[in-house]
């Protein structure tokens, strides 16, 4: 497996713009980020500074989230949020511009919570429209969208791989796939073995953390190594994102990798 480091959760001991350099110093050649800005439409100078932090570190950017709203306050994406179309569209344009400069071709489009006062069916229809537009834009640079089931967010409607596939199937786009996050699927009690056995070819990206706690592999009960072995055996050959909260300093959380970086 090839591993990348999610720098929105790891190396948070450092300012965001120094984390790519730290990942490289720790032996990694690839990174991923959630949306790395405070707003949906940061200025050119802020974007340029972010891009430079990645290029100067000498690492590849393999995955990037679109703007997902106020995550600390509980927002989990804008795809289905009626009335926030411009924010999402702005972030899609900026993300694709960053991707063209850094080579990233995978974009996490968090679906969004059920919003009080909005009809869930109307939100779902809105989500299909916004995903279709984003997928069309991503296709122009050979990119893919990934749809992620989440745990710990009561108003987020996609909880299992089946929930995500239902959206993907309705959308009918070849460049939209599942974000296979072992932590979220494990917490939600999904049948991970069945997803691997039946849908490995529809996985666009993988992320890992142990259950419970969301810490590094080996701190919980999830057979992460076993699941990754099965994924590889089923043909998955893309990156695996380390998207955990380190138990202790980040650099001390990599012992389970046994030299594989």
């Amino acid at each position: 497996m090839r591993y990348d480091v999610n720098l929105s959760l790891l190396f948070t001991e450092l300012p965001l713009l120094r984390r790519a350099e730290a990942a490289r110093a720790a032996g990694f050649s690839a990174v991923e980020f959630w949306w790395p800005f405070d707003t949906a439409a940061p200025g050119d100078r802020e974007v340029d500074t972010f891009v430079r932090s990645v290029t100067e570190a000498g690492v590849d950017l393999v995955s990037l989230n679109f703007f997902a709203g106020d995550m600390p306050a509980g927002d989990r994406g804008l795809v289905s949020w009626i009335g926030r179309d411009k924010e999402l569209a702005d972030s899609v344009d900026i993300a694709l511009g960053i991707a063209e400069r850094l080579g990233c071709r995978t974009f996490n489009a968090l679906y969004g919570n059920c919003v009080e006062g909005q009809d869930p069916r109307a939100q779902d229809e809105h989500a299909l429209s916004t995903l279709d537009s984003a997928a069309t834009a991503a296709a122009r640079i050979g990119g893919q969208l990934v749809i992620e089931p989440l745990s710990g967010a009561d108003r987020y409607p996609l909880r299992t791989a089946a929930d995500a596939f239902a959206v993907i199937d309705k959308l009918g786009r070849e460049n939209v796939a599942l974000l296979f996050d072992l932590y979220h699927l494990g917490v939600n009690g999904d049948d991970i073995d069945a997803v691997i056995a039946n849908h490995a070819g529809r996985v666009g990206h993988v992320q890992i953390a142990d259950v419970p706690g969301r810490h590094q592999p080996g701190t919980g009960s999830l057979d992460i190594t076993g699941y990754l072995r099965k994924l590889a055996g089923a043909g998955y050959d893309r990156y695996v994102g380390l998207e955990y909260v380190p138990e202790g300093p980040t650099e001390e959380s990599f012992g389970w990798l046994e030299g594989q970086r």
Side-chain angles (χ1 to χ4, degrees):
M1 284 292 181
R2 297 178 295 167
Y3 297 97
D4 74 81
V5 184
N6 186 299
L7 295 180
S8 296
L9 284 184
L10 284 89
F11 290 107
T12 56
E13 304 94 331
L14 300 171
L16 185 139
L17 295 175
R18 292 179 54 197
R19 295 176 195 170
E21 180 183 9
R24 183 64 181 177
F28 294 93
S29 60
V31 301
E32 62 180 56
F33 285 86
W34 297 349
W35 186 244
F37 310 106
D38 293 332
T39 64
D44 291 344
R45 180 176 297 179
E46 189 175 0
V47 172
D48 290 345
T49 301
F50 170 75
V51 170
R52 189 164 56 250
S53 76
V54 176
T55 56
E56 290 182 352
V59 295
D60 295 325
L61 179 67
V62 300
S63 178
L64 182 64
N65 286 26
F66 296 141
F67 180 63
D70 188 346
M71 293 276 284
D75 292 348
R76 291 295 182 268
L78 304 184
V79 165
S80 65
W81 197 329
I82 299 169
R84 301 190 70 174
D85 314 56
K86 186 178 186 306
E87 291 171 272
L88 181 63
D90 285 345
S91 78
V92 169
D93 288 344
I94 290 168
L96 294 177
I98 291 171
E100 287 189 283
R101 297 166 70 179
L102 294 178
C104 177
R105 293 297 181 266
T106 296
F107 306 95
N108 184 359
L110 284 175
Y111 194 80
N113 294 327
C114 294
V115 178
E116 186 175 355
Q118 294 189 0
D119 182 347
R121 291 172 296 183
Q123 280 198 257
D124 290 339
E125 289 301 316
H126 182 74
L128 292 177
S129 175
T130 54
L131 285 170
D132 187 65
S133 296
T136 297
R140 297 190 189 109
I141 64 167
Q144 65 168 352
L145 307 186
V146 287
I147 308 298
E148 182 177 20
L150 295 182
S151 62
D154 293 342
R155 294 179 292 126
Y156 191 88
L158 308 185
R159 311 280 295 176
T160 66
D163 294 335
F165 284 135
V167 174
I168 293 167
D169 290 342
K170 288 179 183 176
L171 193 60
R173 298 293 301 245
E174 292 185 357
N175 67 327
V176 183
L178 173 70
L179 199 167
F180 187 92
D181 188 308
L182 280 168
Y183 171 76
H184 290 304
L185 297 181
V187 169
N188 290 341
D190 210 345
D191 188 339
I192 296 173
D193 282 317
V195 177
I196 295 171
N198 299 320
H199 301 292
R202 305 181 72 188
V203 173
H205 188 51
V206 173
Q207 293 174 331
I208 59 173
D210 216 334
V211 175
R214 201 174 187 176
H215 301 307
Q216 60 265 33
T219 58
S221 60
L222 208 60
D223 182 16
I224 292 174
T225 301
Y227 289 131
L228 293 181
R229 187 179 299 116
K230 291 174 183 177
L231 273 167
Y236 181 81
D237 61 358
R238 296 173 180 265
Y239 277 94
V240 173
L242 310 186
E243 197 200 33
Y244 57 75
V245 178
E247 193 174 62
T250 297
E251 180 57 36
E252 295 178 10
S253 73
F254 301 130
W256 64 276
L257 279 168
E258 298 178 353
Q260 302 177 70
R261 303 193 190 183

